[in-house]
Amino acid sequence: MTDNNATMKRSGVSFYTRLGLLYLLNLIDWICTEVLIGSGRFTEANPIMQPVLNGFGTTLLIKGVIPLALIILCGVLFKLTGETENKVANVLITIGIVAYSLVNLWHIFNFVLLFSGF
């Protein structure tokens, strides 16, 4: 068993799977945000993202391309360094997954409000 496989067995979910999950949660956030804003009943709560959401190209770059490039870079660096475990990276990825999960739960709550007529 290689070191990377040993890490996967210890933590249960591979580093690459967690990176993919982080990116997927980011995309779900983007799509849900666009739909909710498009309904006319919601606005972007993040003041940094408010000006970005005005154009599709800018939004695609900020919410799609740059995060994908960073995820790929992290995966490549992890592979090249041959590290079996990086506690800082694991903590940061876990924080990102938890944060995006909470944001997406908030989106679900807002969809319930939107479709229930509140």
Side-chain angles (χ1 to χ4, degrees), residues 38-55:
S39 75
R41 294 185 55 202
F42 296 89
T43 58
E44 173 60 54
N46 181 348
I48 296 170
M49 287 302 295
Q50 285 173 352
V52 172
L53 292 175
N54 293 333

Side-chain angles (χ1 to χ4, degrees), residues 20-104:
L21 176 60
L22 184 61
Y23 185 68
L24 177 66
L25 290 169
N26 171 61
L27 291 179
I28 292 169
D29 170 41
W30 175 23
I31 292 167
C32 290
T33 299
E34 291 288 346
V35 170
L36 288 167
I37 290 172
S39 75
R41 294 185 55 202
F42 296 89
T43 58
E44 173 60 54
N46 181 348
I48 296 170
M49 287 302 295
Q50 285 173 352
V52 172
L53 292 175
N54 293 333
F56 179 74
T58 308
T59 305
L60 177 64
L61 181 68
I62 299 293
K63 291 296 283 180
V65 176
I66 292 174
L68 181 59
L70 290 172
I71 294 286
I72 291 170
L73 179 64
C74 287
V76 168
L77 290 174
F78 181 75
K79 184 76 170 176
L80 290 175
T81 61
E83 285 193 45
T84 58
E85 192 80 21
N86 185 313
K87 291 182 191 238
V88 173
N90 286 335
V91 168
L92 290 174
I93 291 170
T94 301
I95 289 170
I97 289 171
V98 169
Y100 270 118
S101 295
L102 292 172
V103 167
N104 287 324

